[in-house]
Each structure stands twice: as C-alpha cells, then as structure tokens.
Amino acid sequence: MNEKKLKSLRKEIDLIDKKLLKVIIKRSSIVKKIGQLKDLSKGVVDKKRENEVLNKLIKFHKGEYSKGSIIRLWREIFYSSAQLQLKKQNTLIPKRGVESIKVYKGGTAKIAGKENIIKLSSNESPFGPSKKAIEAYTRTATTLSRYPELTADSLELSISKKFKINKDQIICGTGSDEVLIFTALAFCSPGDEIIHAIHGFEMYPIITKYAGAESVLASEKDFKISIKSILENIRSSTKIIFIANPNNPTGTYLNKKELFSLIKKVPKNIVVVIDTAYAEFADAQDYDYGFNLVDNFENVLITRTFSKAYSLAGIRLGWGYGSKKLINILKRLRPPFNITPGAIAAGIEALKDKEHLQNVIVHNKKVKGWFISELNNIGLKAYDTQTNFVFVIVPEKNNLNALKVNEFLLSNGIAVRYLESYGLKNAIRITLGTKEELNKTLSTIKKLYKKND
Amino acid sequence: MNEKKLKSLRKEIDLIDKKLLKVIIKRSSIVKKIGQLKDLSKGVVDKKRENEVLNKLIKFHKGEYSKGSIIRLWREIFYSSAQLQLKKQNTLIPKRGVESIKVYKGGTAKIAGKENIIKLSSNESPFGPSKKAIEAYTRTATTLSRYPELTADSLELSISKKFKINKDQIICGTGSDEVLIFTALAFCSPGDEIIHAIHGFEMYPIITKYAGAESVLASEKDFKISIKSILENIRSSTKIIFIANPNNPTGTYLNKKELFSLIKKVPKNIVVVIDTAYAEFADAQDYDYGFNLVDNFENVLITRTFSKAYSLAGIRLGWGYGSKKLINILKRLRPPFNITPGAIAAGIEALKDKEHLQNVIVHNKKVKGWFISELNNIGLKAYDTQTNFVFVIVPEKNNLNALKVNEFLLSNGIAVRYLESYGLKNAIRITLGTKEELNKTLSTIKKLYKKND
C-alpha cells in the first residue's frame, strides 16, 4: 500500500522536476540576453540586485524547505548566471568566492636595508618563549621521522587540567585560525552567511570565503561591535557569528553581561565563536575570563591561542572549547596529525610555566597605560586596550596621517601595523613590546611631529 | 535604450523566479508526504533514486546554465528534502557531507602493554631524519615567539633549485595532505564530484567530504587504477581526479605513457592531482619521475612530501607543483604561516642532504625483493611495489586470514596496517623497516603459520 503511494508521489516529483528544469532553462535564456546588454568590463555581478531578489523570495516563501536552502538555491542560480555571462568554460574555475579572496598580508616582518628591526606589527611577545617550552621543543627533533600523535591527545589533556574543563570538548588547531577554519567549513555551504565586525580580525572575511560563504558586516560604536547590529543581520542563511573578544585590531571588548544577553537571543543553530586570542591580557573587571558560556549554550565556541601571551606564535597552536556536539562536528574536519610534535611538547610545557606567563602579563599591564598617555600627549588618539597592542587613530593635520607615521617608523627600522587592510586608513596598531622598543617608537614619532610642526 | 531593455528583462526574471519558487514550494509539500511514508530509522536518503533523477535531468537539460550547476541545484534540493523529512531545526547541523565523514584512523602507533614496538604501519623511515635537518630544526627553538615566514618563501626557493622547477609554481602545505585539501576546497562546491580509486589513499574520500563533494570510485584491475573507468566516470560535475602514483596502499602505478594518455583525454577544467608521495622509492624504468606533465597541462597538480623518503613525517611538510594559474588559485586558500619555522629549516637542510636520502632509498631497494619473496614463500600473496611498503593479500586457509595475522603481529609487538578501513578485509600493508624489523616480522608470521599448519 505504502509502496504504491510512494511510487505515485515520486511520479509527481518527476513531473515537478521536469517543470522546474524547464523554467530554469527559460531563465537562463533571459540571463543570456541580459549578459549581452551588460558592459562586461564592469563585472556582471550586481550584489544589490541579488539581495533585492533574495529578500523578495524569502518573504514570499511559505513552503516546507528551509529559507536557508532557498537562499543557497538562488545564489547557485546567480552564480551560474554570472558564469554564463562571462562565457567561461573548459578552463580552471575555482568555486564561488575563491576568486575574490583577499590574501592575508600579515604584519611587516622585514624592512629593506634594515637589519635589526623593532617588530611591533604582529602582537608577538617581546621576551621570547618559555625556556621550558624551548627545551621540550628541542627534544622532539630526533623523533621527526615519525608521525605525531593523531589528535594531539596529550596536549588536550594538559589543557583540560590547566583550565579545569572537559577534555572531550577541546579541539586543537594549527593556530586558533585553524579552529575557525574548521568551523566555517563544517557549517557553511556556499551561499550561507557569516556575521563579523566591520573592523574585526583580518582573517574572518578570508575564512568566510574559504567556505564559499558571504561576509555580513556588523557595525560598531566607537570601534566596539554593536550587539544590535549583529542581531539585526541574522537571517535564515546565517551560520556563524565571529566575535573577537577583546577585538583585534581595536582592543575593545564586550563585557560578560553584553555577551550573555547577545547569545541568549541568537538562534541555537547559529554558531557563536568567541575568539579570545588576547584573553590573558584583559584586566577589565567585567571581562568574561571563563568558559561558562559553553556550559549554557550548545552553540558557543570559545577559542584560545598560544601565539600571544604564551609567546609561541612559531609553533602554530590554538584551541577551541565548545559543547560535545559542536566539537564532535569540528573533529570530523580536523586533518590527522594537524599538531606537530614540537607544538605538542612546547604547548604542554608552556602551560606549566606559570612564571613566564605571569612576567609577560605583568609587563604588558605595566607599560600599556604609560604608552597610551604618551601617544595621546603627542596628539594621536590612542584607545584603552584589553590586549597587548594599542589601537591608534592618527588625526590628519600638519601634513601628517597614519600612512606617513607608518612610513616614517619603517624608515627608522620600526614596523607597526598600518590598518589600511582593515579598512582603517587613518589608524595604526602598535604591539606593546619592551620598554626600550616602545621608548624608541615614541621618540621616533615625536621627531616626526616636531619636524612637521 | 539598453537600460529600458534591461529593466524589462529583469521583470521577466522576477516573474520566472516567482514561478520557480511556487514549483519548489509545491515540490516540498510532496516531499513532506513522502517523508511520512518512509521508515525514518532506515534513513531518508536514497542515493540510487537521486542519481536516476540527476541522470534524467542532465539528459533533458538544454539550457544555458552549465550541467554542473543543474546537478548542484538538485543536490541542494535533495539535501533540503532530507532535512525536512528528518524534521531537524533549531539545532546545530553541519553542512552537507560532514556528518558522514569517516574520521581518519592512521596506522597503529601504540600497543597496550608493549613498550618498544616495531612500527611498520605508517610507511615512516626506519632510520630517523637527516642529522642536518635535526640541527636546523633545533636552531629554530629560540625564535618561536615570532610568527614564521608568511608563505614559506625560503623553502619554496630551495625546492625550486633542487628540482629545477619554477618557484612561482610551488605551494607548500602541512603535509601534502594540506595541498590536497586546498585543491578540494578551491574547486569543489557541495554537490560536485571527485574521482579516485576504489582502493586509493584513505584521505581522498575524507578530503572530498571536507569540501562537501561526493566521491566517485574508479575501478581497478589487479589493484591498479583503471584509466577507462576514470574516463567513464567523468561528467559535468567532476572537478578533481586524485591519483596516487605509486598508489597507497597497493604499491601499483601508472606508467608515463598511461598517465599522458589519460590526462590528454581529461577536460581542461578538471584538476588531475598526481600524488607522488612515494616517488623517491619508485625504480621502474617507465615511472614518471619528472614534472613535465605540468608544462603541458594547465590542469595537472603534482604533489610530493617530506614524510616518506625524506624521513620527516613529524614536521608535516609537503608541496604541490602546477601551472601558475592553478597554483595561484590554491594560494588563495593557504592560511598564513601554514608552515612552521622548524619545518622550513628542516626541509631546506633535508633537501641538501643527498647522502641521507640515498641511504634510505638504497636500503629500501635492497630489502624489498627479498622481503616480498619471503612472504610469498610463507604462502601469502605479496605484490611487487614501487614504494617503501608491501601490499599483502592473506589467503583464507588453515583458519588464518589478514585479521588474524594482524592480531598475532600486534600481540608480538609488531604494528602493520590491516587494510579493512581501505575496504580490503583480506589484506595488510607492511612498511619496509630495518632488516632486523623485517626479519622479526617474517619469523613471527612463520610461527603463526606453523602453529596453524
């Protein structure tokens, strides 16, 4: 009985599919005509028009398929339309989104003609790694003909003990970047959306495109991400929200209460990633240092890194903490042996070396207030920070601006981060290096301002 | 004039989209009815039915959109249908394909209760890494608070000099695995297809699913991939062909002529990846050792690794060589700093240490013929190999089979690779370790066969 009914329903599906295909074929012929009218040199994609079409469709959609699926279907149709207007075929074409990835630039690491530069461009630790971590890393050298542990099990165990959290809920990555990449790849199909701040970490839009997804930018108030804007931008194709907390490159943060109230309002099928790469440097009373959000929300992922306060950027090691359900999904995308033996060994020892970590944090706390006020005295606008860097707006005056400050510092062997690639042409970011490095930086900036006075 | 025409064509599109949406909504209501008839415990996805539908549609499709796009659209519809039948909502759902990834297991590295095991399960080098590589790796330990080179530039330069190939056409990855992953992510949207051998490297189907794509299995003849089968399986949604050459786990290979004749027939928009992880061990006259294919075909990617003959599995380092066009696409997906300073330093020195490499290769050549004939003398079927491992079929007799041989070896502290996870229940793969290790392995197998005689 059921079999017969199934057969007749499937026949109905077959007829509908035929009809669908016919309409799609018809659509493609009109798209072709439109292509002939367009000036191809200006590009064929009209994002505004696409969004209008999508919004209308979602409004009109009342069926059983999810709205997210409708968006993905039409984005595939848009993509196919663009391809056909560009007349590309029989040649290598990457998947949607890949062609428009802006390759990550990173902080300046070399200055032509200069040998011992002061590198304050990548928020690295100025004191070198923990000696114990160095020793542990060195010991792995003779074992390198063997593959590492498949899943960095011993390191996960160390992390779980150190932070008193559940081992099964930890995933390690080559830098927290890799954990973010797993998340995007696990949850986003092409056509889906990821929300992040307009001035968030430079990797967020790149990672979004790795997955073929689309960035949706949340606005900010005084360089702090707006919760209201995040919530307003959520729709059926939103899969992930990336929040750097504290934020890179602005040093701002959402406090415990703000985070909680945001996450409470986010639908449970959207992953909220709280990227706390700079957590160890935060000293605000109301900053959320813990992992409690994970206990309360299955859809929250908190990431941490060994690159900043633990002073081990070179081993490429970060980790994420989330619900078992979430972590088990991410683990499916973790390539085997992703963490090297040197990173496992150094990571375990760095976690034990409380003194080294403490020295790094104490130094940072010591210099940040002083450095910020010195910059402000010169006439720049340096913001308060919860990190190991300072965000600085350079007012346009006396023929000076952020670009010129950056160039003058470079010509004096000092590399800071000019934030043009973050869409902030009037700002620089300066890592809190040693007192000596910061003094040199201040005197160099002063020299420039005196010259232009 | 054009503007007016454009406007009217867009109105037509809007009407068609409305019609499309209506048909899709209708389709979803029938899918819902079908779902109510299905026994959900058996799963809702009927791959056979899906393929029938797809094949019919492609045949019928005559429009301007690509056939690949039609396949992706319908696969999205199938996915949406399955989701709706499973009634999943407001909970974390990974993208298509992720839930069905079989996590990579790797070779046995530990045996409970045994300390000094003989590890012949992962095709590692039994002699340890080059001393020069060890020294170079060790020297990086004190620099680990800094990020590595953004794109492993100095290593790319060394590779280009060593192999006399163009630096711009090289991309380095954390193991050649990562280069394969870049390729899948760069070219495949969910719903696209990747062709690989039915008994190819275990990572191929996993990497396929990282991209949400579908594996299409090429058949083999006597464990060698069939060119005819590859060509027959190509269709409009095929994006990549993975060929391990020599193949893991079977040790077989396609010769120069076969490779060339295959690639000539593959459409230029499909990437052919020739994964030559074991190339250094190949000694067949007609094996293709070079990189000429890349000069002739824009769509060919050749990958290599430091994990096998270079004896550096622990640094996680591999690379790919392809046309500038292909490599530039892959570079968009390379995360910054993906190669650690230790890997860069050790890799550069390993390339220089010709003697170490030579020793590894000469040893392998020396033992392989002998080991294969010894295994055959016992009554197993060991195949000729172009690699540093031997593929062995264990005939079912005297109550013995591959599982039992594997277990007996394990209980004697010897780890080989039982190939069940490769779909080969009657086979094992044994790495060509030291003479001593191989002798111990032979005598242990002999003991088992004597016992069961």
Side-chain angles (χ1 to χ4, degrees):
Chain A
M1 185 58 191
N2 263 3
E3 272 308 308
K4 214 174 146 187
K5 217 166 160 186
L6 194 64
K7 223 174 163 181
S8 104
L9 286 171
R10 283 191 163 160
K11 257 195 188 145
E12 258 188 86
I13 291 270
D14 290 343
L15 286 173
I16 286 185
D17 281 349
K18 246 187 177 165
K19 200 164 157 189
L20 260 182
L21 186 62
K22 264 190 193 160
V23 185
I24 288 172
I25 291 171
K26 181 81 207 294
R27 193 185 195 281
S28 71
S29 71
I30 303 173
V31 165
K32 199 181 175 187
K33 280 186 206 160
I34 293 178
Q36 287 156 352
L37 296 177
K38 278 185 186 171
D39 177 0
L40 290 188
S41 67
K42 286 182 186 159
V44 295
V45 177
D46 182 347
K47 281 273 164 206
K48 202 175 141 243
R49 156 93 181 145
E50 286 184 5
N51 272 324
E52 282 165 12
V53 173
L54 282 181
N55 286 334
K56 240 188 275 176
L57 287 166
I58 298 166
K59 225 170 161 182
F60 192 67
H61 180 58
K62 296 271 180 275
E64 307 286 340
Y65 293 143
S66 73
K67 286 181 181 172
S69 183
I70 298 300
I71 293 175
R72 284 193 298 273
L73 282 172
W74 256 268
R75 284 222 166 102
E76 176 65 42
I77 290 174
F78 297 152
Y79 172 73
S80 225
S81 305
Q83 289 305 110
L84 126 75
Q85 290 178 352
L86 291 168
K87 290 177 197 128
K88 282 188 180 175
Q89 59 184 358
N90 208 22
T91 175
L92 294 173
I93 305 171
K95 80 167 176 211
R96 267 187 282 170
V98 169
E99 262 173 349
S100 59
I101 293 176
K102 269 194 203 168
V103 174
Y104 182 86
K105 290 229 175 69
T108 305
K110 278 181 188 168
I111 305 173
K114 303 267 170 195
E115 281 215 0
N116 291 310
I117 72 163
I118 295 178
K119 187 166 180 256
L120 305 174
S121 55
S122 301
N123 305 334
E124 297 151 330
S125 170
F127 301 112
S130 147
K131 283 211 177 63
K132 286 172 190 164
I134 294 176
E135 281 165 26
Y137 175 88
T138 305
R139 276 196 298 274
T140 61
T142 53
T143 69
L144 295 176
S145 58
R146 300 289 174 181
Y147 283 97
E149 286 173 40
L150 192 65
T151 61
D153 204 59
S154 59
L155 176 62
E156 284 176 10
L157 189 65
S158 288
I159 293 170
S160 80
K161 280 183 180 162
K162 165 91 179 179
F163 295 98
K164 298 186 178 58
I165 53 180
N166 192 340
K167 181 177 173 298
D168 300 343
Q169 294 173 240
I170 297 167
I171 185 166
C172 292
T174 54
S176 47
D177 282 5
E178 196 185 27
V179 180
L180 305 180
I181 293 172
F182 295 156
T183 312
L185 293 178
F187 289 97
C188 295
S189 294
D192 288 334
E193 288 161 11
I194 293 179
I195 298 174
H196 52 81
I198 188 157
H199 301 125
F201 180 35
E202 192 181 348
M203 280 300 291
Y204 298 159
I206 296 176
I207 290 170
T208 300
K209 290 202 168 154
Y210 284 179
E214 318 250 336
S215 283
V216 173
L217 301 177
S219 63
E220 292 164 348
K221 208 179 157 181
D222 212 17
F223 301 108
K224 177 174 155 181
I225 192 167
S226 153
I227 291 183
K228 191 164 161 271
S229 173
I230 294 175
L231 293 171
E232 279 170 1
N233 276 300
I234 288 175
R235 62 171 170 175
S236 26
S237 47
T238 307
K239 291 296 161 67
I240 296 171
I241 300 166
F242 281 138
I243 300 170
N245 206 45
N247 188 47
N248 174 15
T250 63
T252 55
Y253 72 105
L254 295 179
N255 67 37
K256 219 167 168 165
K257 228 170 116 182
E258 289 167 327
L259 264 186
F260 188 82
S261 87
L262 164 66
I263 293 167
K264 237 175 43 186
K265 289 178 196 145
V266 172
K268 302 282 164 284
N269 61 326
I270 297 173
V271 180
V272 183
V273 180
I274 307 164
D275 170 358
T276 65
Y278 298 92
E280 290 85 357
F281 296 112
D283 54 11
Q285 287 275 333
D286 57 357
Y287 177 77
D288 187 2
Y289 296 90
F291 298 91
N292 287 339
L293 281 172
V294 167
D295 303 331
N296 293 309
F297 299 97
E298 201 172 56
N299 56 328
V300 166
L301 179 71
I302 296 174
T303 60
R304 291 263 177 135
T305 184
F306 283 78
S307 300
K308 305 301 175 188
Y310 284 96
S311 314
L312 284 167
I315 60 170
R316 307 302 299 124
L317 183 61
W319 53 280
Y321 189 66
S323 63
K324 270 188 202 164
K325 183 168 183 183
L326 176 54
I327 295 298
N328 281 338
I329 291 173
L330 300 187
K331 281 182 176 172
R332 294 183 169 276
L333 284 148
R334 172 179 56 193
F337 318 116
N338 66 327
I339 313 294
T340 60
I344 293 173
I348 291 173
E349 288 307 314
L351 287 174
K352 287 188 204 156
D353 193 343
K354 286 179 196 166
E355 202 188 327
H356 179 271
L357 180 69
Q358 205 49 33
N359 287 342
V360 170
I361 295 171
V362 167
H363 165 78
N364 198 69
K365 206 172 278 193
K366 229 187 256 171
V367 293
K368 79 173 182 181
W370 158 75
F371 189 64
I372 289 171
S373 66
E374 289 288 321
L375 288 168
N376 287 328
N377 287 343
I378 300 173
L380 310 177
K381 190 173 179 195
Y383 283 72
D384 191 19
T385 186
Q386 293 296 311
T387 67
N388 70 337
F389 60 82
V390 175
F391 175 67
V392 188
I393 299 280
V394 182
E396 286 266 359
K397 68 175 181 192
N398 292 359
N399 249 329
L400 284 178
N401 57 30
L403 178 63
K404 282 186 181 157
V405 170
N406 181 56
E407 279 172 352
F408 190 72
L409 287 169
L410 278 177
S411 69
N412 282 274
I414 301 170
V416 301
R417 185 73 170 263
Y418 177 41
L419 294 177
E420 190 185 19
S421 64
Y422 280 84
L424 291 159
K425 283 191 173 185
N426 63 343
I428 56 175
R429 191 192 68 191
I430 307 175
T431 305
L432 291 164
T434 62
K435 187 96 192 223
E436 201 190 341
E437 290 170 335
L438 296 176
N439 264 322
K440 178 83 196 294
T441 306
L442 286 171
S443 65
T444 308
I445 299 177
K446 277 179 195 161
K447 213 184 337 177
L448 172 69
Y449 272 79
K450 216 169 229 169
K451 226 172 57 179
N452 282 262
D453 211 7
Chain B
M1 185 57 190
N2 263 2
E3 271 308 306
K4 213 174 148 187
K5 218 166 161 188
L6 194 64
K7 220 174 165 181
S8 104
L9 286 170
R10 283 193 163 158
K11 257 196 189 145
E12 258 187 87
I13 291 270
D14 289 344
L15 286 173
I16 286 186
D17 280 349
K18 245 188 178 167
K19 201 164 157 190
L20 259 181
L21 185 62
K22 263 191 193 160
V23 186
I24 288 172
I25 291 172
K26 181 82 208 292
R27 194 187 195 282
S28 72
S29 71
I30 303 172
V31 165
K32 198 181 177 187
K33 280 186 206 159
I34 292 178
Q36 285 157 351
L37 295 178
K38 277 186 186 170
D39 176 0
L40 290 187
S41 66
K42 285 181 187 160
V44 296
V45 177
D46 182 345
K47 280 274 164 206
K48 202 174 141 245
R49 157 94 181 146
E50 287 184 5
N51 272 324
E52 281 165 13
V53 173
L54 283 181
N55 287 333
K56 240 188 274 176
L57 288 166
I58 298 167
K59 226 171 158 183
F60 192 68
H61 179 57
K62 298 270 179 274
E64 307 286 341
Y65 292 144
S66 74
K67 286 182 179 171
S69 182
I70 298 300
I71 293 175
R72 284 194 296 274
L73 282 172
W74 257 267
R75 284 224 166 100
E76 176 66 42
I77 291 174
F78 297 151
Y79 172 73
S80 225
S81 304
Q83 290 305 110
L84 129 73
Q85 290 179 351
L86 290 167
K87 289 175 199 130
K88 283 188 177 176
Q89 58 184 358
N90 208 20
T91 173
L92 294 173
I93 304 172
K95 81 167 176 213
R96 268 187 281 170
V98 170
E99 262 175 348
S100 60
I101 293 176
K102 269 193 202 167
V103 174
Y104 181 84
K105 291 229 173 70
T108 306
K110 279 181 187 168
I111 305 173
K114 305 265 170 196
E115 282 214 357
N116 291 310
I117 72 163
I118 294 178
K119 187 167 180 252
L120 305 175
S121 55
S122 300
N123 306 334
E124 296 152 330
S125 169
F127 300 112
S130 148
K131 282 209 177 64
K132 287 171 190 165
I134 293 176
E135 281 166 26
Y137 174 89
T138 304
R139 277 196 297 272
T140 61
T142 53
T143 69
L144 295 176
S145 58
R146 300 290 174 181
Y147 282 97
E149 287 173 40
L150 193 64
T151 62
D153 204 58
S154 58
L155 176 62
E156 284 176 7
L157 188 65
S158 290
I159 292 171
S160 80
K161 281 184 181 162
K162 165 91 180 180
F163 295 99
K164 299 186 176 55
I165 54 179
N166 192 340
K167 181 176 172 297
D168 299 344
Q169 294 174 239
I170 297 166
I171 185 167
C172 293
T174 55
S176 47
D177 283 5
E178 197 186 25
V179 180
L180 304 181
I181 292 171
F182 295 156
T183 312
L185 293 178
F187 290 97
C188 296
S189 293
D192 289 332
E193 288 162 11
I194 293 179
I195 298 176
H196 53 80
I198 188 157
H199 300 125
F201 181 35
E202 192 181 348
M203 280 301 290
Y204 298 159
I206 296 176
I207 290 171
T208 301
K209 291 201 167 156
Y210 284 179
E214 316 251 336
S215 283
V216 173
L217 302 176
S219 63
E220 292 163 350
K221 208 180 158 182
D222 212 19
F223 299 109
K224 177 175 155 181
I225 193 167
S226 154
I227 291 183
K228 190 163 163 272
S229 172
I230 294 174
L231 293 171
E232 279 170 1
N233 275 301
I234 288 175
R235 61 170 171 175
S236 26
S237 47
T238 307
K239 290 295 161 67
I240 296 172
I241 301 167
F242 280 139
I243 300 170
N245 205 46
N247 188 47
N248 174 14
T250 63
T252 55
Y253 73 106
L254 295 180
N255 67 37
K256 220 167 167 165
K257 226 170 116 184
E258 288 168 327
L259 265 186
F260 188 81
S261 87
L262 164 66
I263 293 166
K264 238 175 43 186
K265 289 179 195 144
V266 172
K268 303 281 165 284
N269 63 327
I270 297 174
V271 181
V272 183
V273 180
I274 307 166
D275 169 357
T276 64
Y278 297 93
E280 290 85 358
F281 295 113
D283 53 11
Q285 287 275 335
D286 58 356
Y287 178 76
D288 187 3
Y289 295 90
F291 297 91
N292 287 339
L293 281 172
V294 166
D295 303 330
N296 294 308
F297 299 97
E298 202 172 56
N299 57 327
V300 166
L301 179 71
I302 296 175
T303 60
R304 291 261 177 136
T305 184
F306 282 79
S307 299
K308 305 300 176 186
Y310 284 96
S311 314
L312 284 166
I315 61 170
R316 308 302 298 123
L317 183 61
W319 52 281
Y321 188 67
S323 63
K324 269 188 201 163
K325 182 167 183 184
L326 177 53
I327 295 298
N328 281 338
I329 292 173
L330 299 187
K331 280 182 176 171
R332 292 183 170 276
L333 283 147
R334 171 180 55 192
F337 320 113
N338 66 327
I339 312 296
T340 59
I344 292 174
I348 290 173
E349 288 307 313
L351 287 174
K352 287 189 204 154
D353 193 344
K354 287 181 196 164
E355 201 187 328
H356 180 272
L357 180 69
Q358 205 50 33
N359 287 341
V360 169
I361 293 171
V362 167
H363 165 78
N364 198 68
K365 207 172 274 192
K366 227 187 258 172
V367 294
K368 80 173 181 181
W370 158 75
F371 188 63
I372 288 170
S373 65
E374 289 288 321
L375 287 169
N376 286 329
N377 287 342
I378 300 173
L380 309 178
K381 190 173 178 194
Y383 283 72
D384 191 21
T385 186
Q386 294 295 313
T387 67
N388 70 337
F389 59 82
V390 176
F391 175 67
V392 189
I393 299 281
V394 182
E396 284 268 359
K397 69 176 181 191
N398 292 0
N399 249 327
L400 285 178
N401 56 30
L403 177 63
K404 281 185 182 159
V405 170
N406 181 57
E407 280 172 352
F408 191 72
L409 286 170
L410 279 176
S411 69
N412 282 275
I414 302 171
V416 301
R417 185 73 171 265
Y418 177 43
L419 295 176
E420 190 185 19
S421 63
Y422 279 84
L424 292 158
K425 282 193 173 182
N426 63 343
I428 56 175
R429 190 192 69 190
I430 308 176
T431 304
L432 291 164
T434 62
K435 187 96 190 222
E436 200 189 342
E437 289 170 336
L438 295 176
N439 264 322
K440 178 83 197 290
T441 306
L442 285 171
S443 66
T444 307
I445 299 177
K446 277 180 196 161
K447 212 182 343 176
L448 174 69
Y449 272 80
K450 215 169 227 169
K451 225 173 59 180
N452 281 261
D453 212 7

